[in-house]
Amino acid sequence: MSSRAIRVHRVASIFAVAIWTLSLCVAPSARAAACPQQAAAPSTPIPLQVIVVASQSEAEKIRAELQLGADFAALAKDKSTDPTANHGGYMGVVDPASLRPELREALRSVAPGGLSPIVHLPSGFTILKVLAAPPQTPAASSQQAEPPRSNMGSAGTALQAMSAQGIMRNTADVSGLNEAEAALARFDKPADWNQDPATICKMRNESYAHAKSQLERFLAGDPSVIPAGAPAGGPRPIDRIQAIFGLGQLAAYQGDMNEAITQYEKAATLAEQSLPEATPVFDETLGVAYLHRSEVDNDVYRDPGDRCIFPMAPKDKYAKTADSAKAIQYFLRYLKQKPDELEVKWLLNIAYMTTGAYPSGVPPQYLLDPKLFQSDENVGRFKDVAPGAGVNSFAMAGGVIVDDFDNDGLLDIVSSSMDMCQPLHFFHNDGDGTFTDRATQAHLSDQLGGLNIIQADYNNDGCTDILVLRGGWEIPQRKSLLKNNCDGTFTDVTKAAGLAEPATSTQTAVWTDINNDGLLDLFVGSENGPAQLFLNNGDGTFKDISHSAGIDKITYAKGVVAGDYDNDGWPDLYVSNFQGENLLYHNNHDNTFTEVAHDAGVLGNGRGFAAFFLDYDNDGWPDIFVTSYFTSVDETVRTYLGLPHNVTSLKLYRNLGNGTFHDVTREVGLNKVYMPMGGNFGDFDNDGFLDIYLGTGNPSYASLIPNVLLKNIDGKKFVDVTSSSGTGELHKGHGVAFADLENNGKVDIAEEIGGAVPGDRHAFRLFENPGNDNDWITVKLVGVKSNRGAIGARIHVTVENAGAPPREIYRTVNSGGSFGASPLEQHIGIGKSAHIDNIEIWWPTSNTRQNFRNPEPNQFIQIKEFDTAFTKLDRKPYRLGASAAPKP
């Protein structure tokens, strides 16, 4: 790699870690230990490999294996949670000056071929290897072509994000998330700070203020914050660029785009003088910043309407377009130097949409044809009715639950936010098309933060409880188990239940009865330690059986789900991992599990996120859907343009019924890359086949890509109907729920929209289903010997449509995907002119079956375990945000 490329490479990768580099060496408690010998660190670019794992013990074991001659690349691929794992941990030819101080120190005396000591970083426990020379492989040599932009600042290690096909372009990082997270990780905190939501909030605020102050003092020349070993004569230009850019990022984090732009422009001016090769990096950064300020000034985050729905129509253009025009200038300047950069082309077209000049005003060489975004089918247009319905959350990334929490027959909405200082929302359904936030009355206003939430009646008292999951993508924080008191209030019973410690980093968990004793157990994925399996003792407490059950493998879990894939009546577990292979745990019927993902053929795509079991083809065997999560607008644009990808796609595994699965991703049309985070499934058109909705994005303000609605065509293929449905929200989608919120037999889509930083808060979306004339039936199951909420019970509907031969429809009681929770009652579409021949319920816990012949369609029914007749539920339809009057 040329010295010129290395210099640009440094700028592209170290801006995201500017705060980390400085904060360690300015914190008084860390300075003496970490910074005294930095001047002796190597200064010549060197080829490096890296392994990052979640625990000290695992790192020690791996390092011992390496010292005995184990292959570094093989261990990296198998064990590392760093984005370089798929490439044997190869980071590229790295200038040590671009690394964190503790990494530079660890490399100080490492000779070529040698290993570094274990270094503890916020991202995990790190081992570096210095190579004698770059590996001579096509993937390694391809890095010479162009230094990529990287937003993977977790250890300063993701300098290359490569695949066998080529280089993946990471989305430009304009958000400040990495800086804020690093500031919190390095801030002095009291013991057990992460056991109290209020203290967690306090530490976030104080660490942010501390980081900002330290950078300002550094730039002012305060000697007390100058790192040991710094050159005489004041900070180098590159250090000043980092610090100024860091201030811009911290301002962007809070959404102060005026200050962010001021600092970005200062850094760009300084870079033009000392590092002109970095101009494109600053052009895109400033383009993104101006576009985000344009969105904020036009209030599209609080009052989005159709102005955030992709593709934007000219009628939805912004009233104030000066900042959008400025963004266009920066994007055009970038493209003049790099005309083939897809991410910036995409952002340019978005910016033109906001001015109303798309497509006619876009320079032809950069135009993305509107035909690329047209839906193959017209399914009717959904309308966001959240404002009129009173679902007025304005929040960061978070989860959502739709379910009946007070047993009044009306579905309520609970939402959370990863904002450590924002409480839960509890939107009570008032039965007239509106909701009232009763979080305070429900004693939920002190439950702060929570990237995801899930529901279950864990104590079988007939009232649905809530579990709050915290620390996803962040440092460990406690969970909260909130017991429903059956009187409109909740009580935090986490400590008493035995779920508070240890605190973990998680956003994913699933309730399931692993031993068929009628009590719901809890499986929790972890990003910083072993997975957890808690056995329900039946007295309000849980026992941790993670190790004895054989599920405590350390992975970077982003999705965990339960499903009986072999139909033996015992729930199995699937784990979607952000780095490395996924896991399928077969239930051994004795509180232990055997990992069988390889033999079953469901190893995933190497970068998993949302996942779920669903029977997409109605053959009675649960299939597995798992998303791929590569933080690349470039790769998403390639999906729309039909270009080859450099990364793996979504995965759909069809259950063959013999303990194995077949990858049908390509044949059903899901070989696409969308950057999905949230995801869930439901039958929005009542044809009897389950559809999928994906919330998309990543933390950067540059990540403006539509959420995606995928229609299931007869269990044979999926088609993108985002454009025709009007559900293509451009901003970050997280928790997703399908639910019939109007009691009219048509499932609506509730979605928590918002990014990972306070400056990316967004209004909640509640997409009202336009409907069709297909029939349906909604079944609420009540367990007796089984768990009260009937989780794991199976529904088999036999139906005839307009004289056609009978067909089968299968559903399993659960809350859907691994990010967002639909109601436990099951809405089942049955198609046009439907006659229901039979509904069969299988209760695996009691191993009993009930059959109900010829029930009428288009009604709500309740079936209690062991009963011989069902109960018709009186559910009156209403219009969301309108009145109590039923729909015409």
Side-chain angles (χ1 to χ4, degrees):
M1 184 181 292
S2 69
S3 61
R4 175 186 176 94
I6 290 171
R7 295 177 76 200
V8 180
H9 194 160
R10 284 185 60 200
V11 171
S13 61
I14 63 180
F15 286 158
V17 291
I19 304 300
W20 289 344
T21 303
L22 294 170
S23 64
L24 177 70
C25 295
V26 297
S29 62
R31 182 183 223 175
C35 303
Q37 301 182 38
Q38 290 178 24
S43 58
T44 302
I46 51 178
L48 289 177
Q49 284 176 297
V50 67
I51 292 175
V52 182
V53 293
S55 70
Q56 176 79 31
S57 59
E58 186 177 19
E60 290 172 350
K61 180 180 177 182
I62 289 172
R63 196 173 189 280
E65 292 181 37
L66 292 169
Q67 289 176 318
L68 291 174
D71 183 75
F72 194 103
L75 283 175
K77 187 172 183 179
D78 184 48
K79 303 291 187 181
S80 181
T81 61
D82 189 80
T84 60
N86 281 348
H87 313 287
Y90 184 58
M91 297 165 58
V93 180
V94 179
D95 184 345
S98 69
L99 298 175
R100 294 172 53 128
E102 61 266 60
L103 293 178
R104 297 201 298 269
E105 173 65 16
L107 289 171
R108 186 170 59 89
S109 58
V110 179
L115 300 171
S116 75
I118 297 169
V119 181
H120 187 193
L121 303 175
S123 56
F125 294 82
T126 302
I127 305 167
L128 294 169
K129 180 177 181 179
V130 178
L131 301 177
Q136 296 302 307
T137 64
S141 61
S142 69
Q143 69 175 309
Q144 309 288 337
E146 179 185 0
R149 303 178 311 276
S150 174
N151 71 335
M152 296 289 191
S154 59
T157 57
L159 303 178
Q160 295 288 352
M162 300 177 293
S163 74
Q165 298 97 325
I167 299 174
M168 183 191 82
R169 269 67 171 180
N170 281 299
T171 301
D173 179 25
V174 186
S175 70
L177 176 63
N178 286 327
E179 287 76 4
E181 289 301 317
L184 177 60
R186 289 299 172 190
F187 192 66
D188 288 334
K189 300 179 284 291
D192 294 331
W193 71 278
N194 56 11
Q195 288 294 319
D196 175 47
T199 304
I200 294 172
C201 168
K202 181 181 179 183
M203 292 300 98
R204 165 64 86 196
N205 291 334
E206 290 183 359
S207 65
Y208 175 90
H210 176 76
K212 185 172 183 290
S213 171
Q214 297 295 82
L215 280 177
E216 291 171 341
R217 291 166 61 193
F218 173 81
L219 288 168
D222 186 336
S224 67
V225 297
I226 301 299
R236 299 169 300 170
I238 188 65
D239 296 325
R240 293 189 63 81
I241 292 172
Q242 286 188 67
I244 295 168
F245 187 87
L247 282 175
Q249 289 284 76
L250 287 177
Y253 175 85
Q254 292 287 26
D256 184 353
M257 298 312 296
N258 294 333
E259 178 65 14
I261 288 171
T262 296
Q263 298 298 339
Y264 292 151
E265 288 178 338
K266 285 181 181 178
T269 299
L270 184 56
E272 285 180 2
Q273 300 167 5
S274 59
L275 195 62
E277 301 93 332
T279 298
V281 175
F282 285 105
D283 286 342
E284 182 174 8
T285 297
L286 283 162
V288 171
Y290 273 105
L291 182 55
H292 185 67
R293 190 168 76 175
S294 182
E295 294 179 296
V296 172
D297 287 350
N298 283 279
D299 205 26
V300 301
Y301 285 87
R302 288 186 179 272
D303 183 21
D306 285 342
R307 294 179 298 169
C308 299
I309 301 298
F310 183 85
M312 288 176 59
K315 67 179 180 62
D316 297 315
K317 68 179 182 179
Y318 293 176
K320 297 179 283 188
T321 59
D323 280 340
S324 291
K326 191 75 172 179
I328 288 170
Q329 291 176 18
Y330 276 110
F331 293 144
L332 288 173
R333 179 170 147 173
Y334 182 103
L335 290 168
K336 187 175 181 180
Q337 301 173 74
K338 297 185 177 185
D340 297 324
E341 182 64 52
L342 293 180
E343 175 173 298
V344 181
K345 276 188 182 180
W346 175 271
L347 292 170
L348 176 70
N349 280 259
I350 296 288
Y352 272 108
M353 288 181 190
T354 68
T355 68
Y358 174 88
S360 59
V362 183
Q365 68 271 34
Y366 304 135
L367 175 65
L368 299 179
D369 194 324
K371 294 179 181 178
L372 296 169
F373 314 120
Q374 293 177 353
S375 298
D376 292 335
E377 293 200 9
N378 184 1
V379 298
R381 194 164 182 89
F382 287 67
K383 178 185 177 183
D384 179 20
V385 295
V391 184
N392 55 1
S393 169
F394 181 70
M396 290 163 55
V400 61
I401 303 169
V402 179
D403 218 319
D404 182 1
F405 286 94
D406 55 1
N407 294 325
D408 63 355
L410 300 168
L411 296 175
D412 310 301
I413 300 173
V414 181
S415 67
S416 67
S417 170
M418 72 180 292
D419 184 339
M420 297 175 181
C421 299
Q422 184 167 356
L424 295 180
H425 290 283
F426 180 62
F427 293 106
H428 177 264
N429 192 327
D430 296 331
D432 61 355
T434 65
F435 295 78
T436 301
D437 192 346
R438 293 187 180 175
T440 299
Q441 298 93 316
H443 301 169
L444 295 176
S445 56
D446 59 347
Q447 291 296 327
L448 310 178
L451 184 51
N452 198 14
I453 46 178
I454 58 173
Q455 86 277 28
D457 182 2
Y458 80 92
N459 57 356
N460 288 335
D461 65 354
C463 302
T464 303
D465 314 296
I466 298 172
L467 179 70
V468 182
L469 301 165
R470 298 187 178 92
W473 299 117
E474 300 176 317
I475 54 182
Q477 299 163 45
R478 62 161 281 181
K479 300 176 278 289
S480 286
L481 178 60
L482 309 177
K483 177 183 175 294
N484 190 332
N485 299 319
C486 302
D487 61 0
T489 68
F490 293 80
T491 299
D492 188 332
V493 295
T494 317
K495 290 184 178 179
L499 299 179
E501 297 185 33
T504 61
S505 296
T506 185
Q507 64 175 59
T508 183
V510 63
W511 294 98
T512 187
D513 184 359
I514 68 163
N515 54 4
N516 281 330
D517 65 352
L519 302 169
L520 286 175
D521 312 301
L522 179 65
F523 180 51
V524 184
S526 178
E527 299 173 11
N528 69 309
Q532 298 173 305
L533 180 58
F534 296 99
L535 194 68
N536 193 328
N537 294 322
D539 59 0
T541 68
F542 293 81
K543 178 183 179 182
D544 188 341
I545 63 167
S546 307
H547 184 67
S548 63
I551 58 83
D552 58 342
K553 184 177 176 63
I554 296 174
T555 66
Y556 204 104
K558 296 305 295 182
V560 297
V561 287
D564 181 10
Y565 78 89
D566 55 357
N567 282 343
D568 66 352
W570 298 77
D572 310 296
L573 305 170
Y574 189 67
V575 181
S576 173
N577 291 315
F578 178 64
Q579 190 64 57
E581 296 173 345
N582 294 345
L583 306 172
L584 177 62
Y585 289 110
H586 177 260
N587 192 325
N588 298 325
H589 309 176
D590 60 359
N591 288 350
T592 71
F593 293 79
T594 300
E595 206 287 300
V596 296
H598 182 274
D599 292 341
V602 291
L603 291 174
N605 44 50
R607 190 68 69 84
F609 204 151
F612 36 81
F613 284 95
L614 82 166
D615 187 354
Y616 83 95
D617 55 357
N618 281 327
D619 66 354
W621 295 92
D623 312 297
I624 295 175
F625 174 81
V626 59
T627 65
S628 64
Y629 187 62
F630 294 90
T631 54
S632 173
V633 170
D634 177 282
E635 294 295 333
T636 301
V637 177
R638 288 173 178 271
T639 292
Y640 289 107
L641 298 182
L643 296 175
H645 288 290
N646 301 307
V647 298
T648 50
S649 71
L650 309 168
K651 289 290 184 183
L652 179 63
Y653 296 108
R654 182 174 181 267
N655 193 330
L656 299 181
N658 61 1
T660 67
F661 294 74
H662 175 57
D663 185 345
V664 296
T665 306
R666 183 173 294 275
E667 62 190 74
V668 301
L670 289 178
N671 54 321
K672 303 177 186 300
V673 177
Y674 288 121
M675 213 191 306
M677 299 178 293
N680 216 321
F681 58 88
D683 185 3
F684 77 83
D685 55 357
N686 283 342
D687 65 353
F689 293 93
L690 292 168
D691 312 297
I692 296 171
Y693 187 72
L694 301 174
T696 62
N698 81 354
S700 175
Y701 294 141
S703 180
L704 292 171
I705 54 174
N707 292 216
V708 179
L709 183 60
L710 300 167
K711 173 176 164 52
N712 185 339
I713 307 294
D714 300 329
K716 298 176 180 178
K717 66 176 182 178
F718 288 81
V719 297
D720 187 339
V721 294
T722 306
S723 181
S724 70
S725 65
T727 56
E729 166 63 56
L730 271 171
H731 297 109
K732 286 74 173 179
H734 287 86
V736 175
F738 284 81
D740 179 6
L741 281 160
E742 296 184 316
N743 284 343
N744 63 1
K746 303 171 181 65
V747 291
D748 312 294
I749 301 174
E751 185 178 19
E752 176 77 4
I753 304 291
V757 301
D760 212 5
R761 293 187 181 100
H762 197 284
F764 192 92
R765 287 289 200 178
L766 185 51
F767 290 112
E768 181 187 38
N769 193 325
N772 58 31
D773 57 359
N774 284 346
D775 295 320
W776 54 276
I777 190 163
T778 295
V779 181
K780 179 178 181 179
L781 299 183
V782 179
V784 177
K785 183 177 181 180
S786 302
N787 68 88
R788 184 72 173 266
I791 288 176
R794 311 283 279 276
I795 303 171
H796 173 196
V797 179
T798 305
V799 64
E800 296 181 43
N801 297 104
R807 64 180 176 122
E808 319 297 318
I809 300 172
Y810 296 87
R811 298 290 184 266
T812 299
V813 178
N814 57 44
S815 60
S818 58
F819 205 153
S822 302
L824 295 180
E825 67 179 30
Q826 297 297 299
H827 174 91
I828 305 170
I830 53 178
K832 193 180 299 291
S833 303
H835 170 76
I836 302 174
D837 293 334
N838 187 62
I839 297 178
E840 180 187 74
I841 312 299
W842 176 31
W843 301 86
T845 295
S846 60
N847 196 24
T848 58
R849 298 178 188 266
Q850 298 162 284
N851 286 276
F852 303 93
R853 300 287 299 174
N854 303 317
E856 290 295 321
N858 304 322
Q859 63 173 328
F860 299 85
I861 64 174
Q862 177 175 293
I863 299 174
K864 193 172 183 179
E865 189 175 14
F866 304 124
D867 281 2
T868 57
F870 63 80
T871 301
K872 182 176 181 178
L873 300 175
D874 183 19
R875 301 272 184 90
K876 292 181 172 56
Y878 53 85
R879 288 293 303 273
L880 285 168
S883 69
K887 269 188 175 181

